[in-house]
Amino acid sequence: MKKICVTGAARGLGLALTKQMLERGYSVYAAGLGVDESDGIRQLEAVYAERLRVIDLDIADDLSVALFTETVKLDTDHLDMLINNAAILGSITDHIHGQMNIAEMAEVFNVNTLGSLRVTHALFPLLLQGQTKLIVDISSEAGSIEQCSRDGWFAYCMSKAALNMQARLIHNGLKQEGGQVMLVHPGWVQSYMRGELDASADLTPDESAQHIAALIDRHEQFKGEQPAYVDYRGEKLPW
């Protein structure tokens, strides 16, 4: 049975991805802040108790990642896939002509970029023992330097652009082992990233997760010299 870890699994897209992968027969390690108290996770546990392991994880904290990794290692000797989904938004109003909260930007980088690197690095030995050796980073079109038209969103855009570089660096090493990294823009998804549900967004978490899961099903088609950087429909994004 293939095994997968999903971060940020307590709600939103992470919860929906956890559900999609369980429905596809994976054994899932659902990780994140508040995941033990998630009503959505409890509902999944009622159906998939034998294939769902719920573990608290703060990807911004070294000790939390270390404890999480030891817990996973006690349970399995391999992982086939890692979905780095956990992320935060930060200010979208900071502007070069106005005030900037640099401290908050550092917090966003610590989660969106360094957080995924912490988890990937910690779980890398398990991934190398897996069959698929696949890392899926939930990035964003906001990380594309080539198509950037915003004049704000510094923390989010810059952290996702850095995540994209991280993915390429990891892919360069992982492809030699037969693995790959995929960067996926999930679309404009209804989420709580601004503190409350953004119901005006185009996609529900379930809709986006269905598309992403379908991309994962055909991940072999996206193997190459560099990580695939695509939107939820599989359309290539410019770097």
Side-chain angles (χ1 to χ4, degrees):
M1 180 183 300
K2 289 187 177 181
K3 299 181 179 182
I4 180 173
C5 174
V6 181
T7 67
R11 63 182 182 179
L13 181 59
L15 176 61
L17 286 166
T18 298
K19 179 182 177 183
Q20 282 293 321
M21 303 319 288
L22 286 167
E23 289 178 351
R24 281 166 161 74
Y26 285 83
S27 177
V28 180
Y29 295 90
L33 289 170
V35 72
D36 291 325
E37 302 170 358
S38 166
D39 290 338
I41 288 292
R42 289 196 183 102
Q43 292 172 12
L44 291 176
E45 283 183 307
V47 180
Y48 301 104
E50 294 182 358
R51 290 193 283 111
L52 177 60
R53 181 77 186 275
V54 179
I55 309 173
D56 187 71
L57 172 64
D58 179 358
I59 68 170
D61 182 78
D62 290 343
L63 179 57
S64 179
V65 172
L67 293 173
F68 162 77
T69 304
E70 288 306 309
T71 301
V72 174
K73 285 182 177 179
L74 288 172
D75 196 67
T76 184
D77 63 356
H78 75 279
L79 283 174
D80 295 285
M81 190 188 317
L82 167 63
I83 300 181
N84 284 312
N85 164 76
I88 58 177
L89 182 62
S91 172
I92 61 173
T93 60
D94 285 0
H95 197 277
I96 195 64
H97 291 299
Q99 293 184 343
M100 287 194 174
N101 189 337
I102 301 297
E104 183 192 64
M105 291 183 192
E107 292 176 2
V108 174
F109 266 83
N110 193 34
V111 174
N112 295 2
T113 308
L114 298 180
S116 63
L117 183 58
R118 282 188 188 92
V119 176
T120 300
H121 181 249
L123 297 180
F124 202 73
L126 293 177
L127 286 164
L128 289 180
Q129 297 303 313
Q131 178 181 345
T132 310
K133 300 178 179 65
L134 175 63
I135 298 169
V136 179
D137 291 330
I138 303 302
S139 185
S140 172
E141 51 78 26
S144 170
I145 295 174
E146 184 176 335
Q147 71 174 23
C148 178
S149 60
R150 294 177 176 87
D151 60 5
W153 294 58
F154 280 85
Y156 190 73
C157 292
M158 291 168 62
S159 68
K160 290 299 186 179
L163 174 66
N164 293 354
M165 175 57 80
Q166 176 195 138
R168 185 151 191 173
L169 293 170
I170 294 172
H171 181 82
N172 286 347
L174 186 56
K175 68 184 180 183
Q176 300 172 17
E177 307 286 343
Q180 70 181 113
V181 180
M182 292 178 63
L183 290 157
V184 180
H185 166 50
W188 185 23
V189 183
Q190 296 173 12
S191 73
Y192 292 85
M193 291 188 72
R194 299 190 189 188
E196 59 184 25
L197 180 64
D198 180 6
S200 65
D202 294 333
L203 299 169
T204 67
D206 283 334
E207 289 170 339
S208 177
Q210 287 172 11
H211 285 289
I212 295 170
L215 292 178
I216 290 172
D217 287 343
R218 54 190 183 95
H219 68 91
E220 290 281 353
Q221 298 177 19
F222 295 96
K223 273 192 172 181
E225 286 302 303
Q226 66 183 38
Y229 183 24
V230 297
D231 69 13
Y232 63 99
R233 298 160 299 191
E235 298 293 327
K236 185 177 179 181
L237 290 171
W239 288 87

